[in-house]
């Protein structure tokens, strides 16, 4: 049960954004993608989620080619949290979360209500439900979108082999305590059976919570493996063109 | 159908449902007022004990009733289209008039009036040529707008309004040229049509229009959920399983059809599509399961009332109804811009 990405290349106007990227995102795992700005992380996530088609290479979800999966079925096996978060009209928080809820053949009110209570507890946002989304702070908006991304995977009406949650820098705008809270929820979700594919910037956070890490630089996979395998000073320094030191005893990265 | 119905109740709150019912009652009431009042005075209640004279019956059934019904349907159509376009463009200033869709329809209609004699012989379908070319005109303008504004994200607002100004000007030129080259009979038709009014409509012309507009409105209600999802952004909606291209096409076509038919029958009536969805959002919320049907109802109420005003303000003469809606709408538009600036 996994997403298999094979030899992905993506070129825009003669500029190679991704070069022969291959990796595997398994269920029950947090797979973190790290790398400098402009290295192609978001593009890779957009290809894996099905927004754009690669020029070469294939993406398979549990042995099915991604382009053979209808967009409705895609919504049932993976949810995506991107960086955009603006909404023009004055929706309530509850309505925004509800947008993530996928309808089965029939809309069963209790199912949605239970999922809403669950996600509200998990993300600790139940007190915001009746507020206007546009009056929230940037961090609160993130959390609401995160809850929407989670609830999209909560309707058990659909039979899927596995489910995946993909997140593009979900911790941007969050203070350290909320950052930790979010990543802990993801850890729990991976233990519940979800596959998590996440773009992160914080090296320490990625080290402590990931099962797999990939470093990407200039569109190429630079290193891939468990955090302990790839967190080496020479690899990190090479990826970021910066002197990065890694204290093995307290397991902390420092670079200044 | 029952699926749509169930969803409707799932997504609206009790308050929104109450508003929906209130609006329905007000609409029925105002239609009643609309057919009771006019420059020719008699008691409509006499209809129920069959004591109307032939003339009174004629006025009621063949003049006032079609007129009031047409006003309601056109008001619903323009408001619905405004609500859909505001949702599609994620832009609160979208309005079929402001962005040039009505002007496109007007140009199409004017073209068919001025050119029909040259290109089409007088055959049976000629009365329907006018609505048809109006639909083509409005569909064309909406497509141009979409090409211009796509990819501009939140800056699309300015681009779209500027494009609307250009399209309105272009349509003005087109109509001007058509007026200039028309012969006397065509000019007469064109002038009467441009002034715009609900007067002088007949059942034969408006029955097909009503059927098409109402069925398009009901058909459009199905896309409420997708329009909600679209508010997250196009790629987000796509990831939630919305076929964006199909949704765009559906909205563009349904708006073109209902605006095209409305404009072809009544001339250009501005600001209704802009004002009504905003009012409805102020009443009770922004989700489209509530917004679309309630906009249609409010639009119908507003249009029947405006038409009533246009008939009674300077009796026995009539004001063009577009004058009244613009008189209400333009200050509202200014207030909207002012409020957005202060946000």
């Amino acid at each position: 049960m996994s997403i298999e990405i094979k030899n992905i290349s993506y070129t825009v106007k003669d500029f190679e954004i991704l070069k022969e990227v291959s990796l595997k995102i398994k269920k029950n795992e947090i797979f973190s993608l790290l790398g400098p700005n402009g290295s192609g992380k978001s593009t890779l996530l957009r290809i894996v989620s099905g927004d754009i088609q690669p020029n070469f290479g294939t993406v398979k979800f549990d042995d099915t080619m991604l382009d053979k999966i209808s967009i409705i079925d895609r919504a049932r096996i993976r949810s995506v949290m991107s960086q955009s978060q603006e909404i023009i009209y004055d929706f309530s928080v509850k309505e925004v979360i509800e947008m993530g809820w996928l309808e089965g053949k029939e809309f069963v009110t209790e199912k949605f209500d239970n999922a809403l209570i669950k996600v509200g507890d998990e993300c600790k946002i139940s007190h915001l439900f009746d507020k206007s989304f546009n009056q929230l702070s940037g961090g609160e908006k993130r959390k609401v979108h995160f809850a929407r991304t989670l609830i999209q995977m909560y309707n058990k009406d659909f039979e899927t082999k596995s489910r995946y949650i993909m997140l593009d820098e979900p911790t941007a705008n969050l203070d350290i305590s909320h950052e930790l809270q979010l990543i802990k929820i993801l850890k729990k979700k991976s233990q519940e059976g979800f596959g998590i594919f996440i773009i992160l910037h914080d090296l320490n956070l990625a080290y402590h919570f990931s099962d797999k890490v990939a470093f990407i630089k200039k569109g190429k996979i630079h290193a891939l493996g468990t955090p302990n395998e790839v967190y080496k000073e020479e690899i990190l320094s090479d990826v970021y063109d910066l002197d990065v030191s890694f204290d093995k005893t307290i397991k902390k990265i420092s670079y200044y | 159908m029952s699926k749509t119905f169930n969803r409707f109740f799932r997504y609206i709150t009790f308050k929104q449902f109450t508003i929906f019912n209130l609006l329905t009652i007000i609409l029925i009431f105002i239609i009643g007022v609309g057919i009771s009042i006019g420059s020719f005075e008699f008691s409509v209640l006499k209809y129920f004990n069959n004591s109307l004279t032939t003339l009174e019956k004629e006025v009621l059934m063949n003049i006032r009733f079609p007129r009031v019904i047409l006003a309601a349907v056109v008001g619903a159509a323009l408001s619905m289209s405004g609500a859909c376009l505001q949702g599609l463009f994620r832009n609160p200033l979208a309005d079929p008039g402001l962005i040039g869709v009505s002007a496109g329809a007007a140009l199409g209609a004017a073209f068919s009036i001025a050119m029909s004699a040259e290109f089409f012989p007088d055959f049976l379908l000629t009365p329907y040529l006018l609505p048809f070319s109006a639909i083509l005109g409005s569909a064309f303008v909406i497509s141009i707008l979409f090409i211009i504004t796509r990819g501009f994200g939140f800056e699309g607002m300015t681009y779209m309004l500027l494009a609307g100004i250009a399209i309105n000007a272009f349509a003005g030129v087109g109509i001007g040229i058509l007026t200039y080259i028309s012969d006397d009979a065509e000019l007469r038709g064109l002038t009467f049509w441009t002034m715009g009014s609900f007067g002088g409509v007949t059942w034969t012309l408006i029955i097909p229009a009503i059927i098409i507009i109402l069925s398009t409105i009901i058909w459009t209600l199905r896309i409420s959920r997708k329009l909600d999802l679209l508010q997250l952004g196009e790629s987000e909606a796509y990831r939630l399983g919305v076929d964006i291209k199909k949704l765009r096409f559906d909205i563009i076509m349904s708006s073109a059809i209902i605006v095209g038919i409305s404009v072809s029958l009544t001339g250009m009536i501005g600001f209704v599509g802009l004002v009504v969805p905003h009012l409805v959002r102020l009443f009770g919320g922004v989700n489209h399961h509530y917004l679309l049907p309630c906009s249609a109802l409010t639009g119908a109420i507003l249009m029947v009332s405006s038409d009533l005003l246009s008939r009674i303000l300077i009796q026995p003469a009539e004001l063009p109804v577009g004058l009244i809606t613009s008189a209400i709408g333009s200050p509202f538009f200014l207030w909207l811009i002012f409020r957005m600036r202060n946000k």
Side-chain angles (χ1 to χ4, degrees), chain A:
Chain A
M1 298 299 107
S2 61
I3 305 176
E4 232 182 298
I5 297 147
K6 259 191 194 158
N7 286 326
I8 292 284
S9 292
Y10 186 70
T11 311
V12 174
K13 288 179 190 161
D14 293 339
F15 181 72
E16 263 196 312
I17 298 174
L18 293 173
K19 288 171 215 162
E20 294 171 2
V21 172
S22 297
L23 45 89
K24 206 170 184 179
I25 302 154
K26 291 183 188 150
K27 67 184 281 192
N28 290 93
E29 266 187 13
I30 295 188
F31 189 114
S32 299
L33 191 60
L34 294 107
N37 292 331
S39 55
K41 299 187 297 291
S42 294
T43 308
L44 182 57
L45 187 131
R46 288 180 65 202
I47 288 174
V48 177
S49 68
D51 287 3
I52 48 177
Q53 291 250 348
N55 301 87
F56 294 102
T58 55
V59 180
K60 275 185 190 170
F61 277 69
D62 303 331
D63 297 327
T64 312
M65 296 284 280
L66 176 59
D67 49 12
K68 296 275 186 293
I69 306 174
S70 74
I71 57 168
I72 293 171
D73 284 337
R74 288 179 199 179
R76 291 166 179 172
I77 53 179
R78 60 97 184 87
S79 64
V80 188
M81 178 177 173
S82 64
Q83 299 187 37
S84 70
Q85 55 183 21
E86 293 307 320
I87 298 176
I88 298 243
Y89 301 111
D90 222 4
F91 283 94
S92 74
V93 168
K94 198 175 150 188
E95 282 172 325
V96 173
I97 297 174
E98 193 168 24
M99 289 177 193
W101 180 253
L102 301 173
E103 293 172 26
K105 276 206 175 115
E106 275 175 63
F107 196 110
V108 184
T109 311
E110 295 77 37
K111 277 188 187 168
F112 169 71
D113 289 343
N114 291 337
L116 187 70
I117 292 168
K118 184 177 167 194
V119 86
D121 288 345
E122 281 174 340
C123 304
K124 301 197 175 69
I125 50 165
S126 308
H127 61 289
L128 299 174
F129 280 170
D130 293 321
K131 282 199 177 171
S132 153
F133 178 81
N134 281 329
Q135 276 158 16
L136 303 182
S137 70
E140 285 172 326
K141 283 181 182 170
R142 292 249 98 184
K143 282 164 70 180
V144 172
H145 279 306
F146 179 62
R148 175 174 65 75
T149 314
L150 289 183
I151 209 170
Q152 189 182 336
M153 295 290 102
Y154 282 3
N155 193 340
K156 297 278 186 275
D157 283 358
F158 317 115
E159 287 189 16
T160 59
K161 289 182 193 159
S162 44
R163 295 173 193 225
Y164 302 91
I165 301 172
M166 307 177 183
L167 310 99
D168 190 350
E169 291 181 43
T171 55
N173 283 337
L174 291 183
D175 63 42
I176 47 172
S177 95
H178 286 120
E179 186 178 69
L180 193 64
Q181 182 200 335
L182 185 144
I183 209 94
K184 278 183 175 166
I185 296 170
L186 287 176
K187 191 80 199 169
K188 199 179 130 225
K189 291 295 134 192
S190 75
Q191 284 154 2
E192 285 173 14
F194 291 91
I196 315 283
F197 184 42
I198 182 170
I199 294 176
L200 280 176
H201 269 304
D202 189 322
L203 290 167
N204 287 313
L205 206 63
Y207 179 83
H208 285 277
F209 289 94
S210 312
D211 299 294
K212 279 270 173 58
V213 176
F215 282 106
I216 187 167
K217 187 187 180 185
K218 290 181 183 160
K220 274 187 169 166
I221 298 282
H222 206 79
L224 177 71
T226 63
N228 281 322
E229 285 165 6
V230 293
Y231 271 60
K232 306 243 163 66
E233 285 180 356
E234 59 275 18
I235 293 176
L236 297 172
S237 303
D238 202 14
V239 168
Y240 290 97
D241 290 324
L242 192 74
D243 278 331
V244 181
S245 57
F246 182 53
D247 188 329
K248 286 193 179 95
T249 47
I250 57 164
K251 298 190 167 148
K252 276 274 181 258
I253 305 274
S254 46
Y255 41 89
Y256 52 85

Side-chain angles (χ1 to χ4, degrees), chain B residues 222-242:
Chain B
R222 296 177 321 137
I223 61 172
S224 306
R225 165 85 176 160
K226 289 174 187 157
L227 267 177
D228 277 353
L229 297 184
L230 192 62
Q231 302 316 309
L232 295 167
E234 287 196 359
S235 55
E236 300 288 312
Y238 180 77
R239 289 160 177 174
L240 282 160
V242 178

